[in-house]
Amino acid sequence: MGQGRVIGSMGRCRLTLALIALSLEACHSQPEPLGTGHSEDGEYTLDATTHDVTATIKTSDGPVTLRSGADVEATLPQGVSLYPGADVVRTTTTQSGAVQDALVTMRSPDEPAAIIDFYRGQAFAAGWTTDMDLATPTTHALTASGPDGLRFSVSVQSQTGGALMTLRVSSRVPGRASQPVSQRVSSGR
């Protein structure tokens, strides 16, 4: 299979997992746990009580796993942390081989500019390169890349009484070798 096909396959797989997690969030009004499901391409577990989702999809490169929920922990690379004092709304993690992605949604009473300054400072201190720093009247986004093509992005939206932010980080699973992230996933990440 050619490199372009692997990139497309992995990108579609991660997108599918993310869409499953977001779609299942709408199921939270059901009174009983939703259970599990299996197919030749993977399996999932849904819990309407906790709103947690666990899924595994089989690919030609190996399994891709997803966990999503309010109490799911995100493993972040050295130099990147959750915003101090923010309330974590939901965390979604995916892992494929040596690459782990975390998507963390948080709320904070702080202004978006202060949040972006915090993450800009973390990127600078870790030696990461700022790829984009874009502000509009209601949203501010920052993306940065680090060693071996690892990336993080934060998007902060103004809301009454503070801000809603989404932190996304790609990192390596310790002890696992892989090709750089930038060669494995589509450029739209």
Side-chain angles (χ1 to χ4, degrees), residues 76-95:
L76 303 175
Q78 185 173 347
V80 179
S81 63
L82 299 179
Y83 187 73
D87 293 322
V88 174
V89 176
R90 184 169 202 83
T91 300
T92 301
T93 63
T94 61
Q95 184 174 332

Side-chain angles (χ1 to χ4, degrees), residues 81-150:
S81 63
L82 299 179
Y83 187 73
D87 293 322
V88 174
V89 176
R90 184 169 202 83
T91 300
T92 301
T93 63
T94 61
Q95 184 174 332
S96 175
V99 179
Q100 179 172 285
D101 292 313
L103 180 71
V104 184
T105 302
M106 300 173 273
R107 290 189 196 284
S108 173
D110 294 349
E111 291 296 319
I115 296 166
I116 290 293
D117 285 346
F118 172 80
Y119 283 107
R120 190 183 295 116
Q122 283 197 333
F124 179 78
W128 290 39
T129 302
T130 300
D131 299 318
M132 182 189 72
D133 192 339
L134 177 67
T136 70
T138 59
T139 304
H140 198 140
L142 174 72
T143 63
S145 53
D148 298 323
L150 301 181

Side-chain angles (χ1 to χ4, degrees), residues 11-27:
R12 281 191 302 274
C13 186
R14 286 191 176 145
L15 177 60
T16 299
L17 288 171
L19 291 174
I20 289 170
L22 293 173
S23 298
L24 296 173
E25 179 67 18
C27 297

